[in-house]
Amino acid sequence: MLDLWYKSAVIYCIDVETFMDGNGDGIGDFEGLIDRLDYIAGLGINCIWLMPFYPTPNRDNGYDITDYYSVDPRLGTLGDFVEFLRQANNRGMRVIVDLVINHTSIDHPWFKAACKDPDSKYRDYYVWSEEKPADAEEGIIFPGYQESTWTYNEEAGAYYFHRFFEHQADLNIGNPQVREEFYKIMGFWLQLGIAGFRVDAAPFLIELKGIEKQADIKDPYRYLKEMRNFLSWRRGDAIVLAEANVPMEDVPKYFDDGDKLQMLFGFVVNQYLMLALAREAVAPLIQGLKAPPEIPDICQWAHFIRNHDELSLDKLSQEEREEILTKFHQDKEQVWIYDRGIRRRFPPLVQGDERRIRLAYSLMFTMPGTPVLKSGEEIGMGDDLSLKQRDASRTPMQWSAESNGGFSTAPSDRLILPVIKEGEYGYPRLNVIAQRKDPNSLLNWMERAIRMLKECPEFGWGSWEEIETDNSGVLALRYQWRDGTVVALHNLAKDTCTATLKLGGELRESRWIDLLGDRPYEPIEHPEHGINLEGYGYRWIRVGREHL
């Protein structure tokens, strides 16, 4: 069997600067992260994904990079990174890092050299135009905060292309020298021992905007294959997990027959999941799960409830977006951003309803693919809508009821971002230490759910099918892998029910053994007679035999 470790992974996303401050300067760092590795391992995490930690002016949460081969001095040194990597590996955790190569900061030495000397080799590292293109206002990623995709540079005497903010100049992937730089960057971090990359903004990495006549190939997706080839030769078990919120008809171009990317985030499933939770009906989620084309066996979807950006709803209709805002009782003026999404963490969307929070994560863990948690989700952290744009959901980790939530000993006005202080999501009430002491806390539930997930490889490895029910609020999915079968039942509606399932002979005649549920249920003696579920309830069930 191939060692496709990512099919059994639980990925934990960390922004180092807001996770734990080890030296008391108000900014999270590798020293603090190392100190919390036992906590992460205790959750059952076996893969850490680090958001950008490279040197940066930090105008865009570290995604504006000035040096791909080092660590931001605020966060530590390259030696600190290697020590973190060693200690994570010793605890059985792989590490993947953000690969942000679709653009650099305009403060990067490459861009400075490109502007200074038109004959420099770095001039062709970027995308230029003598005149401002007529479509410069089209395809803006951050409406309301970005005015154009082309900006004039006085020193260069030309316009440079930037799909994102003007301080992030796009690199010219059509230039073979640029691609060689990409491979050097990948090779550097692979040599240190990382297990792969999360590729930022993959569709924009391979776009040929402004270089259509210069690019050395017509099919930009071939660049992904070149990247995978390099990765495989350097480290055979390394992966590429790509951020690619693309239409379903484009998915095969990213996976191909398994020789391009191994993983994509399930943006479409996530959006239809939110619609299903808002409606308390399973039909939208089934639509989302069935939307993607069949993918190669070695490929995988990565599922999430919330990521570090906004909750994007761009693939839904305007009516569906409004319905989600209405049914989750959200003030559009406060929460809507970039004309496509909600800048909140998940618990405030459901008014802190613990049943709905656990329901959502139970769904995520049992969807076909690999689950991804953002740090803080395991304790149900909230957000601070007084902060600008995406910062609302990026507040520091809340470790204890001590000052600054135990994140830092620095004065509160020196923190990288304010810690949530007040209300039901404030650190005096909501923190890791308090939840450790409470056997019924979300944190302890997450540990149990992840442990049980590891005993059910069918979710990550198996084939799945929907089991028909007589209830529009109940989702029943069957997973099969090798000789194992598990069934996941979820009641998205608030009312208790007895769901009748349409079962074939094998399922009807086998033993049904409860593995995890929202409460203890009576054993299932005759599944064909109906199965009880509380409102917002869930049951993970093994069919056929004990699996211990």
Side-chain angles (χ1 to χ4, degrees):
M1 183 182 72
L2 289 174
D3 179 22
L4 308 181
W5 60 267
Y6 47 92
K7 288 196 173 237
S8 302
V10 180
I11 300 174
Y12 190 71
C13 172
I14 295 174
D15 186 352
V16 177
E17 69 178 10
T18 57
F19 192 64
M20 181 63 201
D21 175 15
N23 62 7
D25 65 354
I27 301 170
D29 47 42
F30 279 102
E31 180 183 345
L33 174 54
I34 291 169
D35 188 58
R36 292 294 186 262
L37 283 176
D38 286 325
Y39 164 80
I40 301 168
L43 271 175
I45 301 302
N46 49 19
C47 179
I48 294 173
W49 155 28
L50 291 185
M51 290 171 60
F53 53 85
Y54 315 101
T56 172
N58 214 28
R59 300 186 185 102
D60 183 25
N61 203 46
Y63 283 89
D64 48 329
I65 295 168
T66 56
D67 182 358
Y68 288 105
Y69 299 100
S70 190
V71 171
D72 189 325
R74 299 173 310 137
L75 311 184
T77 66
L78 199 56
D80 293 326
F81 173 84
V82 171
E83 179 62 15
F84 151 73
L85 190 62
R86 184 186 71 84
Q87 294 208 30
N89 291 166
N90 286 349
R91 291 166 174 80
M93 294 184 288
R94 288 178 167 88
V95 175
I96 63 174
V97 302
D98 248 294
L99 185 65
V100 189
I101 49 176
N102 58 307
H103 57 239
T104 71
S105 168
I106 58 173
D107 294 332
H108 195 290
W110 295 347
F111 188 76
K112 290 183 174 180
C115 294
K116 185 176 182 179
D117 181 3
D119 296 321
S120 164
K121 74 170 186 176
Y122 296 111
R123 185 71 161 203
D124 288 334
Y125 273 39
Y126 297 89
V127 183
W128 300 92
S129 176
E130 296 298 321
E131 302 292 333
K132 187 174 185 178
D135 61 355
E137 277 69 50
E138 296 178 10
I140 287 176
I141 301 299
F142 303 113
Y145 301 90
Q146 176 187 2
E147 296 180 356
S148 176
T149 58
W150 292 86
T151 292
Y152 188 73
N153 181 276
E154 291 283 352
E155 186 176 25
Y159 290 86
Y160 64 92
F161 179 64
H162 52 91
R163 177 57 70 185
F164 295 91
F165 293 114
E166 65 180 48
H167 58 75
Q168 295 164 317
D170 273 35
L171 286 162
N172 176 8
I173 195 173
N175 181 349
Q177 289 182 302
V178 170
R179 297 201 299 279
E180 284 300 317
E181 293 281 2
F182 293 169
Y183 304 146
K184 288 178 185 177
I185 294 164
M186 294 170 66
F188 178 81
W189 296 103
L190 288 168
Q191 194 69 25
L192 291 181
I194 67 159
F197 302 93
R198 177 264 188 187
V199 175
D200 182 57
F204 303 115
L205 168 64
I206 59 174
E207 76 170 329
L208 303 181
K209 179 77 172 179
I211 58 169
E212 296 88 347
K213 296 179 181 178
Q214 305 171 34
D216 53 356
I217 60 175
K218 293 183 179 179
D219 177 13
Y221 294 94
R222 279 186 54 193
Y223 295 137
L224 298 177
K225 190 169 184 176
E226 290 180 10
M227 180 183 295
R228 171 66 182 284
N229 287 342
F230 178 87
L231 185 79
S232 297
W233 280 107
R234 285 297 176 97
R235 178 170 173 171
D237 66 344
I239 65 162
V240 176
L241 166 59
E243 179 193 33
N245 184 8
V246 297
M248 290 298 94
E249 58 266 25
D250 289 343
V251 165
K253 300 173 184 176
Y254 288 86
F255 288 133
D256 204 5
D257 60 0
D259 62 353
K260 290 181 182 172
L261 309 182
Q262 292 104 324
M263 298 184 74
L264 290 179
F265 284 101
F267 283 99
V268 168
V269 172
N270 178 259
Q271 296 183 39
Y272 280 102
L273 168 62
M274 291 302 156
L275 184 59
L277 291 170
R279 287 181 178 173
E280 301 191 3
V282 303
L285 179 52
I286 290 295
Q287 181 182 351
L289 287 169
K290 292 183 176 180
E294 188 173 345
I295 64 175
D297 288 342
I298 73 166
C299 296
Q300 184 84 319
W301 289 103
H303 293 300
F304 57 95
I305 297 299
R306 283 291 284 111
N307 60 23
H308 56 285
D309 294 331
E310 67 280 353
L311 171 59
S312 180
L313 303 175
D314 67 301
K315 298 296 186 290
L316 302 181
S317 68
Q318 184 63 37
E319 292 75 15
E320 289 167 336
R321 298 180 196 177
E322 294 294 339
E323 182 181 0
I324 288 173
L325 287 165
T326 299
K327 291 189 173 177
F328 283 150
H329 309 290
Q330 297 300 308
D331 180 350
K332 188 173 183 179
E333 290 294 320
Q334 279 196 312
V335 306
W336 196 247
I337 189 171
Y338 308 140
D339 199 29
R340 63 172 175 263
I342 297 171
R343 63 187 193 105
R344 305 214 74 167
R345 282 196 183 245
F346 183 74
L349 285 181
V350 292
Q351 288 71 56
D353 187 329
E354 197 77 17
R355 300 170 305 161
R356 300 187 80 181
I357 295 169
R358 297 184 191 202
L359 170 71
Y361 286 99
S362 176
L363 280 163
M364 180 190 74
F365 285 135
T366 59
M367 285 194 289
T370 296
V372 181
L373 283 169
K374 181 182 184 295
S375 62
E377 285 188 280
E378 71 272 20
I379 60 172
M381 277 180 57
D383 48 50
D384 183 351
L385 294 177
S386 71
L387 299 178
K388 66 178 183 178
Q389 300 179 54
R390 291 167 165 173
D391 286 349
S393 61
R394 294 174 172 175
T395 55
M397 185 69 178
Q398 297 169 198
W399 295 104
S400 71
E402 297 178 350
S403 177
N404 299 326
F407 162 69
S408 175
T409 57
S412 58
D413 61 356
R414 289 178 55 195
L415 300 186
I416 183 70
L417 280 172
V419 179
I420 299 173
K421 298 179 182 178
E422 300 176 353
E424 62 181 307
Y425 301 107
Y427 69 78
R429 292 182 57 185
L430 193 151
N431 61 71
V432 170
I433 297 299
Q435 292 202 13
R436 273 182 171 169
K437 297 176 181 177
D438 178 3
N440 298 313
S441 69
L442 181 62
L443 176 61
N444 280 305
W445 179 88
M446 284 279 186
E447 290 181 10
R448 292 194 298 274
I450 292 171
R451 183 175 67 246
M452 186 53 64
L453 178 64
K454 291 179 176 180
E455 294 185 27
C456 300
E458 293 87 350
F459 292 128
W461 284 85
S463 59
W464 69 276
E465 64 178 358
E466 178 189 6
I467 301 174
E468 292 185 31
T469 78
D470 64 344
N471 191 313
S472 63
V474 173
L475 177 69
L477 297 180
R478 174 194 184 185
Y479 291 83
Q480 195 153 8
W481 183 63
R482 293 186 169 178
D483 60 349
T485 300
V486 292
V487 172
L489 301 174
H490 292 86
N491 181 10
L492 275 64
K494 62 180 175 294
D495 298 322
T496 300
C497 71
T498 300
T500 300
L501 311 184
K502 186 177 180 180
L503 302 174
E506 179 188 349
L507 287 179
R508 190 167 57 245
E509 296 166 8
S510 299
R511 291 180 63 201
W512 286 47
I513 304 153
D514 274 295
L515 302 176
L516 183 74
D518 59 289
R519 70 165 179 82
Y521 287 93
E522 290 295 319
I524 301 169
E525 300 291 346
H526 301 284
E528 71 275 13
H529 294 166
I531 298 177
N532 297 326
L533 283 165
E534 290 290 332
Y536 304 131
Y538 52 88
R539 299 175 77 167
W540 301 9
I541 298 160
R542 180 161 294 284
V543 177
R545 61 179 176 82
E546 297 280 0
H547 188 67
L548 286 175

